Amino acid sequence: MKHLKIVCLLLLVSLSSCNPFKPYSISIESNSIIVSMPVRRNVLAFSCREGFTLTDIEKDIYNRFKANTWSSMFYSDLPKTIYLELRCKNSYGQEVTLPLINAGNLDIKDLQKYQEYKYFKGKIERNMSKSLFYKQ
């Protein structure tokens, strides 16, 4: 009985740490990948809100193309432009959507060459990270 309680407790802890709801969304429009995500304004840059990282977004894009989830809808030799659609709260506490920010290109043929995400890691994340700094 004691072991059953421990197993139930471990299961409860592991399930509570999972977040099946992603606070960001990724969509395709023409030759563009649009990542809509909630952010916080800081002094010099935007930062992701709790619950996800830029690595999570990059991995999600990688996995969707490797699994051919998007390939049939989105296949061409042209590079795909990645845009960030940032959502943040204004000084009144209302959520506003900022104009799209170009976060670079993604070569689908190049992505398909990578056998695992660990070899691809950083290819998109680096550009997204740079794009989160204010353009002054």
Side-chain angles (χ1 to χ4, degrees), residues 1-15:
M1 188 65 172
K2 185 177 182 181
H3 294 292
L4 181 61
K5 287 181 182 179
I6 292 172
V7 169
C8 289
L9 180 62
L10 289 174
L11 183 62
L12 180 64
V13 168
S14 68
L15 289 176

Side-chain angles (χ1 to χ4, degrees), residues 6-115:
I6 292 172
V7 169
C8 289
L9 180 62
L10 289 174
L11 183 62
L12 180 64
V13 168
S14 68
L15 289 176
S16 65
S17 64
C18 295
N19 184 7
F21 172 74
K22 295 178 183 176
Y24 63 88
S25 66
I26 303 170
S27 61
I28 298 174
E29 292 180 18
S30 184
N31 273 339
S32 302
I33 300 171
I34 299 176
V35 178
S36 179
M37 58 191 235
V39 294
R40 268 186 252 109
R41 288 180 190 249
N42 294 328
V43 176
L44 296 174
F46 295 101
S47 63
C48 298
R49 289 193 193 157
E50 295 85 14
F52 73 101
T53 64
L54 294 178
T55 302
D56 296 332
I57 295 171
E58 179 184 59
K59 192 177 225 178
D60 200 359
I61 292 171
Y62 173 84
N63 288 334
R64 288 185 192 193
F65 276 109
K66 285 300 279 188
N68 291 323
T69 306
W70 285 340
S71 294
S72 60
M73 296 170 38
F74 200 56
Y75 188 80
S76 82
D77 292 339
L78 298 173
K80 310 310 175 224
T81 305
I82 299 173
Y83 291 101
L84 301 181
E85 180 182 72
L86 307 180
R87 300 184 319 268
C88 63
K89 296 198 184 266
N90 64 14
S91 58
Y92 301 105
Q94 302 162 333
E95 187 163 284
V96 295
T97 302
L98 303 174
L100 292 177
I101 298 172
N102 186 328
N105 294 323
L106 174 63
D107 184 345
I108 306 306
K109 283 188 171 188
D110 189 49
L111 179 144
Q112 294 294 342
K113 293 176 187 175
Y114 291 90
Q115 294 299 310

Side-chain angles (χ1 to χ4, degrees), residues 58 62 82 103-106 110-111 114 117-128:
E58 179 184 59
Y62 173 84
I82 299 173
N105 294 323
L106 174 63
D110 189 49
L111 179 144
Y114 291 90
Y117 171 72
K118 67 182 179 181
Y119 301 111
F120 180 79
K121 184 174 174 27
K123 305 282 189 239
I124 300 173
E125 180 182 8
R126 189 174 16 261
N127 288 336
M128 286 192 298

